[in-house]
Amino acid sequence: MLLTTSVAQTQQGVTYRYNGKQKRTPLGNVTITYDSNQRSVLSGASDGQFSLLLTGKKMGDRIGLVTVKKRDMMVFNQHAVDEWSVRKEPLRVILCDADEFEQQKENLIAIGKREAKKKYDKQKAVLETQLQEGKVKLQEYEAALDKAYEELERARKHMDEYADLFARIDESEIDTLAQHAMDLFNQGEVEQAIKKFEEGNFMERLRQDNRVIQQADQMIRTAEDAKQQAMSDREAHINSIKAQIEAYKVQNDWTKAGALLKNLADELNTPDEMLAYADFCMQQQQFGDAETYYRKYLSLLASDSSSDGHEHRVSLGYNRMGVVCQRLKRYAEAEDYLKKALSIGKEMYREADNETLMDLSSYYNNLGNFYRELSRFDEAEQMYRQSLDLKRKLYSRSSVYASTLSDVLNNLGTMYWDENKLAECETCYEEALKLRRKEAQSNENEKLADLASSIDNMASLFSKKGDKEQCEKLHLEALALRRQLATRNPQAYSEQLAYSLGNLGNLYQTSLQLDKCLPLYEEALTLFNQLSENNSLAYQSEIAMTQMNMGVLYMALGDNDSSIKHFQEALPIFQSLAKRQNKADYPYLAMLQVNLGMAYTAAGRYRESDEVLAQAISSYGQLAQQSPSAFNPYLAVSFNASAFNKMFLQQFAEAETLVRQAITLDTTQSVFQTTLAVSLLFQGKYAEAEAIYRQYKSELKDSFLGDLKQFAEAGVIPKEREEDVEKIKKLLEE
């Protein structure tokens, strides 16, 4: 922790009353509570002015958790208050009548729901006409009408979230045309309002403002008035553009919202706008554009190192660049950026300051995610534990930090899952799920996405416990949430929807409900392919993993040709990623090699199987050296699969050696005994083989007999052992 001398300084501020389109007026007798000691001040009765006495803060530092109270009123610019930092200019609090705000919000919700109902009624009318004219069948009509009604219900459910954002737009800060559009919107004329915003052509007007400003700079003495006016107009147009962006979001038009954010960043060329657009791109899974604008953000900061809060802003940029490089599988760059962010975060950290505590905890968490993805579990756990300690401290101070606490609990639990430490995993997952169910009551997209992730994770735990019924119930709940989110914002949430489809497909596959698997895998593969169109490297692993799941499914169905085809399509992807030193994909390559080897064995291609299973043993052997608890069980499966294939090559002694290695690594898998028993039997070690057959007869009888039948059909039973085989069959049938 960086030790600094505590210096007290005074931060000025003013409280205002919001008056709609009219100019704000000072508002007195407002209580402002701030800092960790919960000190309070009262704004002046006549002028609304107040002063905060801050200790240990310097210019650019965030002030911390602030609460504002005045009877019958609410904070209008709550987001700005949450982001307060120490600055030269006065802070500004804007309050409005609480009842009027709620009425305005309810009006917007009513408008939104009415628009959604109008759309539904129009769809219904078209469908009824088509039904009457015989263009659609009754079944098609009912299905389409059900889909339209589901869209109506989704619109009703999330309208509150966007209505709150829209109601907080300060009409005194936008120009007359935008105000007119706002009026139309509030009157329920949504399409006319959007058209009015677009007619305003604010981006072009903003460009014109900038041109005027540039000309004014060249003629300072003669054009000072024009410059000042243009700057005032520009501010109004910027706020109008941001109001337009929020209007697009209310309509779920993410393409137009993103285009305006990009134009704003390109035109203004400021760090804040670069960061805003880059963050939007990350949310929309547009990783290439996100990287471009994060780099522009850092470049602008580098050219002005004296700006307020410079170090904090740089650390944010490094952290985000680390995350985007990780998504693009550029791990060396990712680690460098994440470590730089953490280093700055440690220097800025102050125990009593929630904001620096939050930053540092997030940097630890993201570096933990990075190490977990690379299976560097010891380092990951160290980072997660550091993050968890800080986030518990934050949560003890305020429940607003519940979401960020649940994030690191979920991530730590996933790391324990990867290490096969299921008790520790369950403890983390249960606490995270409890927090997220409570947070998701707000119906916000991000909170619902977090909840779906926790539900899916708990479902996987129930699968491990053998409770398939509860596992299916939870996977279906998560899938429903993610379909809802993908409807609201497809680009942002299609990735998680694809993961849910794959999870449910895996469950049905392990439960032998094979007819349900293929449609789920195919839908997931379609989504990953669509996402990869603009982010090819980011989704190669997911595409290959889905192909591998489909290969396993076809192998279970007995379609060896289709199984091998899917495995072979996935293999070059994982091999290519491994050549790029993408260590996160090594476990998947090893898993694929095992599955392909078993598929070759099933297809009678024993030499090819022998080769690829040897590669799998080598791959899992390297992984098990780094993390035995996580990968020894998989290495054991590889040894057993290779031993089983050796039987078809009549290499019985080699098979015995391999399967004994499997049993040494994982004593819980009694199924390995089937391979050991038959390898001994075919070598003439009858007494040893008989002992195994007798010991495991009640548990593995069907597997024993099935293997003997398969080897007989393949013609690999030594002639001199045929009598022994018949004796074992009789023993098993007794």
mmCIF file of all heavy atoms in Angstrom, residues 410 413-414 417-418 420 422 425-426 429 433 452-476 478 482 499-500 502-507 510:
data_model
loop_
_atom_site.group_PDB
_atom_site.id
_atom_site.type_symbol
_atom_site.label_atom_id
_atom_site.label_comp_id
_atom_site.label_asym_id
_atom_site.label_seq_id
_atom_site.Cartn_x
_atom_site.Cartn_y
_atom_site.Cartn_z
ATOM 1 N N ASN A 410 -18.046 -16.724 -8.014
ATOM 2 C CA ASN A 410 -18.347 -17.588 -9.149
ATOM 3 C C ASN A 410 -17.066 -18.013 -9.864
ATOM 4 O O ASN A 410 -16.888 -19.182 -10.228
ATOM 5 C CB ASN A 410 -19.265 -16.849 -10.123
ATOM 6 C CG ASN A 410 -19.710 -17.726 -11.266
ATOM 7 O OD1 ASN A 410 -20.471 -18.660 -11.095
ATOM 8 N ND2 ASN A 410 -19.233 -17.424 -12.459
ATOM 9 N N GLY A 413 -15.116 -20.462 -7.726
ATOM 10 C CA GLY A 413 -15.780 -21.756 -7.786
ATOM 11 C C GLY A 413 -15.469 -22.498 -9.077
ATOM 12 O O GLY A 413 -15.244 -23.718 -9.073
ATOM 13 N N THR A 414 -15.438 -21.771 -10.198
ATOM 14 C CA THR A 414 -15.131 -22.398 -11.487
ATOM 15 C C THR A 414 -13.698 -22.929 -11.509
ATOM 16 O O THR A 414 -13.423 -23.984 -12.087
ATOM 17 C CB THR A 414 -15.347 -21.385 -12.622
ATOM 18 O OG1 THR A 414 -16.707 -20.934 -12.600
ATOM 19 C CG2 THR A 414 -15.056 -22.008 -13.977
ATOM 20 N N TRP A 417 -13.756 -26.103 -9.728
ATOM 21 C CA TRP A 417 -14.368 -27.104 -10.614
ATOM 22 C C TRP A 417 -13.311 -27.653 -11.567
ATOM 23 O O TRP A 417 -13.194 -28.865 -11.756
ATOM 24 C CB TRP A 417 -15.507 -26.465 -11.399
ATOM 25 C CG TRP A 417 -16.038 -27.321 -12.502
ATOM 26 C CD1 TRP A 417 -15.600 -27.375 -13.786
ATOM 27 C CD2 TRP A 417 -17.106 -28.274 -12.424
ATOM 28 N NE1 TRP A 417 -16.320 -28.282 -14.508
ATOM 29 C CE2 TRP A 417 -17.247 -28.849 -13.695
ATOM 30 C CE3 TRP A 417 -17.941 -28.686 -11.397
ATOM 31 C CZ2 TRP A 417 -18.197 -29.812 -13.966
ATOM 32 C CZ3 TRP A 417 -18.904 -29.653 -11.676
ATOM 33 C CH2 TRP A 417 -19.026 -30.201 -12.941
ATOM 34 N N ASP A 418 -12.526 -26.751 -12.168
ATOM 35 C CA ASP A 418 -11.477 -27.191 -13.094
ATOM 36 C C ASP A 418 -10.464 -28.100 -12.398
ATOM 37 O O ASP A 418 -9.893 -28.999 -13.026
ATOM 38 C CB ASP A 418 -10.744 -25.981 -13.677
ATOM 39 C CG ASP A 418 -11.628 -25.145 -14.597
ATOM 40 O OD1 ASP A 418 -12.651 -25.680 -15.071
ATOM 41 O OD2 ASP A 418 -11.302 -23.966 -14.836
ATOM 42 N N ASN A 420 -11.197 -30.104 -10.001
ATOM 43 C CA ASN A 420 -11.941 -31.252 -9.462
ATOM 44 C C ASN A 420 -12.040 -31.205 -7.937
ATOM 45 O O ASN A 420 -12.146 -32.239 -7.276
ATOM 46 C CB ASN A 420 -11.299 -32.570 -9.915
ATOM 47 C CG ASN A 420 -12.300 -33.714 -9.926
ATOM 48 O OD1 ASN A 420 -13.486 -33.517 -10.176
ATOM 49 N ND2 ASN A 420 -11.826 -34.908 -9.648
ATOM 50 N N LEU A 422 -14.540 -30.402 -5.726
ATOM 51 C CA LEU A 422 -15.968 -30.133 -5.823
ATOM 52 C C LEU A 422 -16.573 -29.559 -4.548
ATOM 53 O O LEU A 422 -17.523 -28.780 -4.605
ATOM 54 C CB LEU A 422 -16.706 -31.414 -6.225
ATOM 55 C CG LEU A 422 -16.289 -32.009 -7.580
ATOM 56 C CD1 LEU A 422 -17.176 -33.189 -7.928
ATOM 57 C CD2 LEU A 422 -16.336 -30.963 -8.682
ATOM 58 N N CYS A 425 -15.747 -25.951 -4.592
ATOM 59 C CA CYS A 425 -16.515 -25.374 -5.699
ATOM 60 C C CYS A 425 -17.961 -25.111 -5.281
ATOM 61 O O CYS A 425 -18.508 -24.025 -5.517
ATOM 62 C CB CYS A 425 -16.467 -26.322 -6.896
ATOM 63 S SG CYS A 425 -17.557 -25.858 -8.255
ATOM 64 N N GLU A 426 -18.579 -26.094 -4.645
ATOM 65 C CA GLU A 426 -19.984 -25.961 -4.253
ATOM 66 C C GLU A 426 -20.185 -24.822 -3.253
ATOM 67 O O GLU A 426 -21.163 -24.064 -3.346
ATOM 68 C CB GLU A 426 -20.487 -27.273 -3.661
ATOM 69 C CG GLU A 426 -21.974 -27.251 -3.330
ATOM 70 C CD GLU A 426 -22.506 -28.624 -2.971
ATOM 71 O OE1 GLU A 426 -21.699 -29.568 -2.828
ATOM 72 O OE2 GLU A 426 -23.725 -28.766 -2.834
ATOM 73 N N TYR A 429 -20.092 -21.585 -5.291
ATOM 74 C CA TYR A 429 -21.238 -21.462 -6.194
ATOM 75 C C TYR A 429 -22.529 -21.143 -5.429
ATOM 76 O O TYR A 429 -23.353 -20.341 -5.885
ATOM 77 C CB TYR A 429 -21.421 -22.754 -6.984
ATOM 78 C CG TYR A 429 -20.542 -22.869 -8.214
ATOM 79 C CD1 TYR A 429 -20.471 -24.069 -8.921
ATOM 80 C CD2 TYR A 429 -19.797 -21.799 -8.680
ATOM 81 C CE1 TYR A 429 -19.675 -24.204 -10.057
ATOM 82 C CE2 TYR A 429 -19.000 -21.924 -9.816
ATOM 83 C CZ TYR A 429 -18.942 -23.126 -10.491
ATOM 84 O OH TYR A 429 -18.170 -23.245 -11.615
ATOM 85 N N LEU A 433 -24.754 -17.848 -6.068
ATOM 86 C CA LEU A 433 -26.131 -17.980 -6.562
ATOM 87 C C LEU A 433 -27.118 -17.257 -5.656
ATOM 88 O O LEU A 433 -28.049 -16.587 -6.137
ATOM 89 C CB LEU A 433 -26.499 -19.463 -6.673
ATOM 90 C CG LEU A 433 -27.910 -19.765 -7.185
ATOM 91 C CD1 LEU A 433 -28.137 -19.173 -8.569
ATOM 92 C CD2 LEU A 433 -28.159 -21.273 -7.210
ATOM 93 N N ALA A 452 -27.957 -16.381 -14.732
ATOM 94 C CA ALA A 452 -27.965 -17.539 -15.631
ATOM 95 C C ALA A 452 -26.648 -18.310 -15.537
ATOM 96 O O ALA A 452 -26.636 -19.542 -15.526
ATOM 97 C CB ALA A 452 -28.204 -17.083 -17.074
ATOM 98 N N SER A 453 -25.536 -17.575 -15.434
ATOM 99 C CA SER A 453 -24.226 -18.219 -15.309
ATOM 100 C C SER A 453 -24.151 -19.055 -14.032
ATOM 101 O O SER A 453 -23.695 -20.214 -14.049
ATOM 102 C CB SER A 453 -23.128 -17.153 -15.308
ATOM 103 O OG SER A 453 -21.870 -17.727 -15.086
ATOM 104 N N SER A 454 -24.616 -18.488 -12.910
ATOM 105 C CA SER A 454 -24.581 -19.231 -11.644
ATOM 106 C C SER A 454 -25.495 -20.453 -11.676
ATOM 107 O O SER A 454 -25.151 -21.520 -11.148
ATOM 108 C CB SER A 454 -24.991 -18.314 -10.486
ATOM 109 O OG SER A 454 -23.909 -17.535 -10.036
ATOM 110 N N ILE A 455 -26.656 -20.313 -12.282
ATOM 111 C CA ILE A 455 -27.592 -21.443 -12.371
ATOM 112 C C ILE A 455 -26.980 -22.577 -13.188
ATOM 113 O O ILE A 455 -27.051 -23.757 -12.814
ATOM 114 C CB ILE A 455 -28.934 -20.986 -12.982
ATOM 115 C CG1 ILE A 455 -29.659 -20.045 -12.010
ATOM 116 C CG2 ILE A 455 -29.812 -22.184 -13.299
ATOM 117 C CD1 ILE A 455 -30.876 -19.384 -12.608
ATOM 118 N N ASP A 456 -26.345 -22.237 -14.319
ATOM 119 C CA ASP A 456 -25.680 -23.253 -15.138
ATOM 120 C C ASP A 456 -24.581 -23.958 -14.352
ATOM 121 O O ASP A 456 -24.408 -25.183 -14.444
ATOM 122 C CB ASP A 456 -25.080 -22.599 -16.392
ATOM 123 C CG ASP A 456 -25.855 -22.980 -17.656
ATOM 124 O OD1 ASP A 456 -26.609 -23.969 -17.615
ATOM 125 O OD2 ASP A 456 -25.703 -22.296 -18.676
ATOM 126 N N ASN A 457 -23.827 -23.188 -13.589
ATOM 127 C CA ASN A 457 -22.743 -23.782 -12.800
ATOM 128 C C ASN A 457 -23.281 -24.759 -11.748
ATOM 129 O O ASN A 457 -22.732 -25.852 -11.553
ATOM 130 C CB ASN A 457 -21.930 -22.682 -12.121
ATOM 131 C CG ASN A 457 -21.094 -21.898 -13.106
ATOM 132 O OD1 ASN A 457 -20.785 -22.384 -14.193
ATOM 133 N ND2 ASN A 457 -20.725 -20.684 -12.745
ATOM 134 N N MET A 458 -24.358 -24.358 -11.064
ATOM 135 C CA MET A 458 -24.952 -25.256 -10.069
ATOM 136 C C MET A 458 -25.511 -26.510 -10.730
ATOM 137 O O MET A 458 -25.442 -27.609 -10.159
ATOM 138 C CB MET A 458 -26.050 -24.521 -9.296
ATOM 139 C CG MET A 458 -25.547 -23.517 -8.274
ATOM 140 S SD MET A 458 -24.483 -24.256 -6.995
ATOM 141 C CE MET A 458 -25.620 -25.403 -6.227
ATOM 142 N N ALA A 459 -26.042 -26.350 -11.929
ATOM 143 C CA ALA A 459 -26.555 -27.514 -12.654
ATOM 144 C C ALA A 459 -25.438 -28.526 -12.905
ATOM 145 O O ALA A 459 -25.632 -29.740 -12.745
ATOM 146 C CB ALA A 459 -27.171 -27.065 -13.978
ATOM 147 N N SER A 460 -24.265 -28.035 -13.270
ATOM 148 C CA SER A 460 -23.135 -28.935 -13.518
ATOM 149 C C SER A 460 -22.739 -29.684 -12.249
ATOM 150 O O SER A 460 -22.369 -30.868 -12.300
ATOM 151 C CB SER A 460 -21.946 -28.133 -14.046
ATOM 152 O OG SER A 460 -22.263 -27.525 -15.282
ATOM 153 N N LEU A 461 -22.830 -29.011 -11.108
ATOM 154 C CA LEU A 461 -22.532 -29.680 -9.843
ATOM 155 C C LEU A 461 -23.522 -30.809 -9.560
ATOM 156 O O LEU A 461 -23.148 -31.892 -9.123
ATOM 157 C CB LEU A 461 -22.557 -28.673 -8.697
ATOM 158 C CG LEU A 461 -21.242 -27.981 -8.348
ATOM 159 C CD1 LEU A 461 -21.460 -26.932 -7.272
ATOM 160 C CD2 LEU A 461 -20.213 -29.000 -7.881
ATOM 161 N N PHE A 462 -24.801 -30.543 -9.796
ATOM 162 C CA PHE A 462 -25.810 -31.591 -9.587
ATOM 163 C C PHE A 462 -25.567 -32.774 -10.527
ATOM 164 O O PHE A 462 -25.817 -33.923 -10.161
ATOM 165 C CB PHE A 462 -27.216 -31.019 -9.788
ATOM 166 C CG PHE A 462 -27.763 -30.333 -8.567
ATOM 167 C CD1 PHE A 462 -27.871 -28.946 -8.522
ATOM 168 C CD2 PHE A 462 -28.155 -31.056 -7.448
ATOM 169 C CE1 PHE A 462 -28.364 -28.302 -7.394
ATOM 170 C CE2 PHE A 462 -28.647 -30.427 -6.318
ATOM 171 C CZ PHE A 462 -28.748 -29.046 -6.284
ATOM 172 N N SER A 463 -25.073 -32.485 -11.730
ATOM 173 C CA SER A 463 -24.750 -33.567 -12.657
ATOM 174 C C SER A 463 -23.645 -34.444 -12.092
ATOM 175 O O SER A 463 -23.702 -35.677 -12.164
ATOM 176 C CB SER A 463 -24.320 -32.978 -14.004
ATOM 177 O OG SER A 463 -23.988 -34.007 -14.912
ATOM 178 N N LYS A 464 -22.624 -33.796 -11.513
ATOM 179 C CA LYS A 464 -21.528 -34.543 -10.896
ATOM 180 C C LYS A 464 -22.037 -35.436 -9.761
ATOM 181 O O LYS A 464 -21.530 -36.531 -9.535
ATOM 182 C CB LYS A 464 -20.490 -33.573 -10.347
ATOM 183 C CG LYS A 464 -19.522 -33.036 -11.386
ATOM 184 C CD LYS A 464 -18.382 -34.006 -11.610
ATOM 185 C CE LYS A 464 -17.319 -33.380 -12.498
ATOM 186 N NZ LYS A 464 -16.206 -34.303 -12.778
ATOM 187 N N LYS A 465 -23.051 -34.931 -9.036
ATOM 188 C CA LYS A 465 -23.607 -35.698 -7.918
ATOM 189 C C LYS A 465 -24.540 -36.809 -8.388
ATOM 190 O O LYS A 465 -25.005 -37.616 -7.589
ATOM 191 C CB LYS A 465 -24.388 -34.766 -6.989
ATOM 192 C CG LYS A 465 -23.528 -33.738 -6.255
ATOM 193 C CD LYS A 465 -24.424 -32.842 -5.406
ATOM 194 C CE LYS A 465 -23.643 -31.820 -4.634
ATOM 195 N NZ LYS A 465 -24.515 -30.963 -3.810
ATOM 196 N N GLY A 466 -24.856 -36.816 -9.683
ATOM 197 C CA GLY A 466 -25.747 -37.835 -10.216
ATOM 198 C C GLY A 466 -27.215 -37.469 -10.179
ATOM 199 O O GLY A 466 -28.071 -38.282 -10.509
ATOM 200 N N ASP A 467 -27.521 -36.220 -9.791
ATOM 201 C CA ASP A 467 -28.915 -35.775 -9.746
ATOM 202 C C ASP A 467 -29.272 -35.144 -11.091
ATOM 203 O O ASP A 467 -29.275 -33.925 -11.258
ATOM 204 C CB ASP A 467 -29.106 -34.759 -8.608
ATOM 205 C CG ASP A 467 -30.583 -34.434 -8.349
ATOM 206 O OD1 ASP A 467 -31.410 -34.720 -9.231
ATOM 207 O OD2 ASP A 467 -30.883 -33.880 -7.281
ATOM 208 N N LYS A 468 -29.565 -35.987 -12.074
ATOM 209 C CA LYS A 468 -29.813 -35.510 -13.436
ATOM 210 C C LYS A 468 -31.093 -34.684 -13.530
ATOM 211 O O LYS A 468 -31.187 -33.742 -14.323
ATOM 212 C CB LYS A 468 -29.907 -36.703 -14.398
ATOM 213 C CG LYS A 468 -28.682 -37.596 -14.411
ATOM 214 C CD LYS A 468 -27.453 -36.877 -14.922
ATOM 215 C CE LYS A 468 -26.272 -37.824 -15.040
ATOM 216 N NZ LYS A 468 -25.042 -37.154 -15.485
ATOM 217 N N GLU A 469 -32.085 -35.040 -12.712
ATOM 218 C CA GLU A 469 -33.361 -34.324 -12.761
ATOM 219 C C GLU A 469 -33.179 -32.862 -12.350
ATOM 220 O O GLU A 469 -33.654 -31.941 -13.036
ATOM 221 C CB GLU A 469 -34.376 -35.012 -11.853
ATOM 222 C CG GLU A 469 -35.764 -34.351 -11.888
ATOM 223 C CD GLU A 469 -36.769 -35.077 -11.005
ATOM 224 O OE1 GLU A 469 -36.457 -36.200 -10.542
ATOM 225 O OE2 GLU A 469 -37.861 -34.527 -10.777
ATOM 226 N N GLN A 470 -32.502 -32.627 -11.228
ATOM 227 C CA GLN A 470 -32.262 -31.258 -10.776
ATOM 228 C C GLN A 470 -31.323 -30.527 -11.728
ATOM 229 O O GLN A 470 -31.487 -29.323 -11.973
ATOM 230 C CB GLN A 470 -31.665 -31.273 -9.364
ATOM 231 C CG GLN A 470 -31.474 -29.892 -8.751
ATOM 232 C CD GLN A 470 -32.793 -29.169 -8.491
ATOM 233 O OE1 GLN A 470 -33.867 -29.758 -8.601
ATOM 234 N NE2 GLN A 470 -32.725 -27.894 -8.180
ATOM 235 N N CYS A 471 -30.371 -31.251 -12.268
ATOM 236 C CA CYS A 471 -29.452 -30.662 -13.244
ATOM 237 C C CYS A 471 -30.215 -30.150 -14.467
ATOM 238 O O CYS A 471 -30.003 -29.019 -14.916
ATOM 239 C CB CYS A 471 -28.412 -31.699 -13.667
ATOM 240 S SG CYS A 471 -27.307 -31.137 -14.961
ATOM 241 N N GLU A 472 -31.114 -30.978 -15.000
ATOM 242 C CA GLU A 472 -31.897 -30.561 -16.169
ATOM 243 C C GLU A 472 -32.768 -29.350 -15.849
ATOM 244 O O GLU A 472 -32.868 -28.399 -16.632
ATOM 245 C CB GLU A 472 -32.768 -31.720 -16.655
ATOM 246 C CG GLU A 472 -33.617 -31.343 -17.869
ATOM 247 C CD GLU A 472 -34.529 -32.470 -18.316
ATOM 248 O OE1 GLU A 472 -34.752 -33.414 -17.524
ATOM 249 O OE2 GLU A 472 -35.042 -32.407 -19.450
ATOM 250 N N LYS A 473 -33.388 -29.375 -14.684
ATOM 251 C CA LYS A 473 -34.255 -28.260 -14.279
ATOM 252 C C LYS A 473 -33.487 -26.940 -14.274
ATOM 253 O O LYS A 473 -33.968 -25.919 -14.788
ATOM 254 C CB LYS A 473 -34.833 -28.550 -12.894
ATOM 255 C CG LYS A 473 -35.718 -27.433 -12.343
ATOM 256 C CD LYS A 473 -36.210 -27.787 -10.935
ATOM 257 C CE LYS A 473 -37.015 -26.626 -10.334
ATOM 258 N NZ LYS A 473 -37.449 -26.932 -8.945
ATOM 259 N N LEU A 474 -32.285 -26.951 -13.718
ATOM 260 C CA LEU A 474 -31.484 -25.727 -13.637
ATOM 261 C C LEU A 474 -30.961 -25.309 -15.006
ATOM 262 O O LEU A 474 -30.959 -24.117 -15.347
ATOM 263 C CB LEU A 474 -30.321 -25.934 -12.665
ATOM 264 C CG LEU A 474 -30.712 -26.033 -11.186
ATOM 265 C CD1 LEU A 474 -29.524 -26.444 -10.342
ATOM 266 C CD2 LEU A 474 -31.291 -24.708 -10.688
ATOM 267 N N HIS A 475 -30.508 -26.272 -15.810
ATOM 268 C CA HIS A 475 -30.036 -25.923 -17.162
ATOM 269 C C HIS A 475 -31.155 -25.289 -17.988
ATOM 270 O O HIS A 475 -30.920 -24.343 -18.756
ATOM 271 C CB HIS A 475 -29.501 -27.162 -17.872
ATOM 272 C CG HIS A 475 -28.059 -27.467 -17.579
ATOM 273 N ND1 HIS A 475 -27.103 -26.490 -17.431
ATOM 274 C CD2 HIS A 475 -27.401 -28.655 -17.423
ATOM 275 C CE1 HIS A 475 -25.927 -27.049 -17.197
ATOM 276 N NE2 HIS A 475 -26.083 -28.358 -17.174
ATOM 277 N N LEU A 476 -32.370 -25.809 -17.857
ATOM 278 C CA LEU A 476 -33.507 -25.247 -18.592
ATOM 279 C C LEU A 476 -33.828 -23.834 -18.103
ATOM 280 O O LEU A 476 -34.193 -22.954 -18.894
ATOM 281 C CB LEU A 476 -34.732 -26.151 -18.450
ATOM 282 C CG LEU A 476 -34.663 -27.476 -19.225
ATOM 283 C CD1 LEU A 476 -35.818 -28.388 -18.827
ATOM 284 C CD2 LEU A 476 -34.697 -27.212 -20.739
ATOM 285 N N ALA A 478 -31.636 -21.690 -16.833
ATOM 286 C CA ALA A 478 -30.581 -20.824 -17.373
ATOM 287 C C ALA A 478 -30.798 -20.565 -18.856
ATOM 288 O O ALA A 478 -30.614 -19.436 -19.344
ATOM 289 C CB ALA A 478 -29.213 -21.458 -17.145
ATOM 290 N N ARG A 482 -31.275 -16.941 -20.834
ATOM 291 C CA ARG A 482 -30.367 -16.505 -21.896
ATOM 292 C C ARG A 482 -31.082 -16.307 -23.221
ATOM 293 O O ARG A 482 -30.681 -15.464 -24.021
ATOM 294 C CB ARG A 482 -29.217 -17.506 -22.013
ATOM 295 C CG ARG A 482 -28.216 -17.302 -20.862
ATOM 296 C CD ARG A 482 -27.147 -18.343 -20.791
ATOM 297 N NE ARG A 482 -26.097 -17.913 -19.864
ATOM 298 C CZ ARG A 482 -25.173 -18.707 -19.358
ATOM 299 N NH1 ARG A 482 -25.166 -19.999 -19.671
ATOM 300 N NH2 ARG A 482 -24.254 -18.234 -18.536
ATOM 301 N N TYR A 499 -23.505 -21.232 -25.030
ATOM 302 C CA TYR A 499 -22.949 -22.044 -23.943
ATOM 303 C C TYR A 499 -24.059 -22.848 -23.247
ATOM 304 O O TYR A 499 -23.875 -24.027 -22.914
ATOM 305 C CB TYR A 499 -22.249 -21.159 -22.918
ATOM 306 C CG TYR A 499 -20.937 -20.580 -23.385
ATOM 307 C CD1 TYR A 499 -20.576 -19.278 -23.056
ATOM 308 C CD2 TYR A 499 -20.054 -21.328 -24.157
ATOM 309 C CE1 TYR A 499 -19.373 -18.739 -23.477
ATOM 310 C CE2 TYR A 499 -18.849 -20.799 -24.583
ATOM 311 C CZ TYR A 499 -18.511 -19.500 -24.243
ATOM 312 O OH TYR A 499 -17.327 -18.977 -24.663
ATOM 313 N N SER A 500 -25.202 -22.204 -23.003
ATOM 314 C CA SER A 500 -26.308 -22.907 -22.341
ATOM 315 C C SER A 500 -26.816 -24.068 -23.191
ATOM 316 O O SER A 500 -27.124 -25.148 -22.679
ATOM 317 C CB SER A 500 -27.460 -21.924 -22.057
ATOM 318 O OG SER A 500 -27.406 -21.434 -20.745
ATOM 319 N N GLY A 502 -25.096 -25.799 -25.296
ATOM 320 C CA GLY A 502 -24.104 -26.865 -25.195
ATOM 321 C C GLY A 502 -24.181 -27.604 -23.874
ATOM 322 O O GLY A 502 -24.062 -28.837 -23.819
ATOM 323 N N ASN A 503 -24.377 -26.856 -22.783
ATOM 324 C CA ASN A 503 -24.476 -27.492 -21.465
ATOM 325 C C ASN A 503 -25.656 -28.462 -21.397
ATOM 326 O O ASN A 503 -25.537 -29.573 -20.867
ATOM 327 C CB ASN A 503 -24.634 -26.423 -20.381
ATOM 328 C CG ASN A 503 -23.371 -25.617 -20.169
ATOM 329 O OD1 ASN A 503 -22.287 -26.083 -20.461
ATOM 330 N ND2 ASN A 503 -23.515 -24.411 -19.660
ATOM 331 N N LEU A 504 -26.798 -28.012 -21.922
ATOM 332 C CA LEU A 504 -27.977 -28.881 -21.889
ATOM 333 C C LEU A 504 -27.772 -30.083 -22.803
ATOM 334 O O LEU A 504 -28.163 -31.211 -22.462
ATOM 335 C CB LEU A 504 -29.216 -28.085 -22.313
ATOM 336 C CG LEU A 504 -30.566 -28.790 -22.151
ATOM 337 C CD1 LEU A 504 -30.794 -29.206 -20.697
ATOM 338 C CD2 LEU A 504 -31.703 -27.883 -22.617
ATOM 339 N N GLY A 505 -27.136 -29.853 -23.946
ATOM 340 C CA GLY A 505 -26.832 -30.970 -24.839
ATOM 341 C C GLY A 505 -25.940 -31.998 -24.179
ATOM 342 O O GLY A 505 -26.150 -33.209 -24.306
ATOM 343 N N ASN A 506 -24.926 -31.524 -23.430
ATOM 344 C CA ASN A 506 -24.027 -32.448 -22.726
ATOM 345 C C ASN A 506 -24.783 -33.278 -21.686
ATOM 346 O O ASN A 506 -24.524 -34.476 -21.515
ATOM 347 C CB ASN A 506 -22.910 -31.665 -22.035
ATOM 348 C CG ASN A 506 -21.965 -31.023 -23.031
ATOM 349 O OD1 ASN A 506 -21.915 -31.408 -24.198
ATOM 350 N ND2 ASN A 506 -21.212 -30.027 -22.581
ATOM 351 N N LEU A 507 -25.729 -32.621 -20.993
ATOM 352 C CA LEU A 507 -26.515 -33.352 -20.002
ATOM 353 C C LEU A 507 -27.317 -34.471 -20.666
ATOM 354 O O LEU A 507 -27.321 -35.615 -20.203
ATOM 355 C CB LEU A 507 -27.463 -32.397 -19.269
ATOM 356 C CG LEU A 507 -28.521 -33.083 -18.399
ATOM 357 C CD1 LEU A 507 -27.857 -33.811 -17.228
ATOM 358 C CD2 LEU A 507 -29.553 -32.085 -17.903
ATOM 359 N N THR A 510 -25.049 -37.382 -21.643
ATOM 360 C CA THR A 510 -24.645 -38.262 -20.540
ATOM 361 C C THR A 510 -25.831 -39.024 -19.965
ATOM 362 O O THR A 510 -25.657 -40.082 -19.361
ATOM 363 C CB THR A 510 -23.965 -37.459 -19.413
ATOM 364 O OG1 THR A 510 -24.869 -36.446 -18.939
ATOM 365 C CG2 THR A 510 -22.693 -36.797 -19.912
#
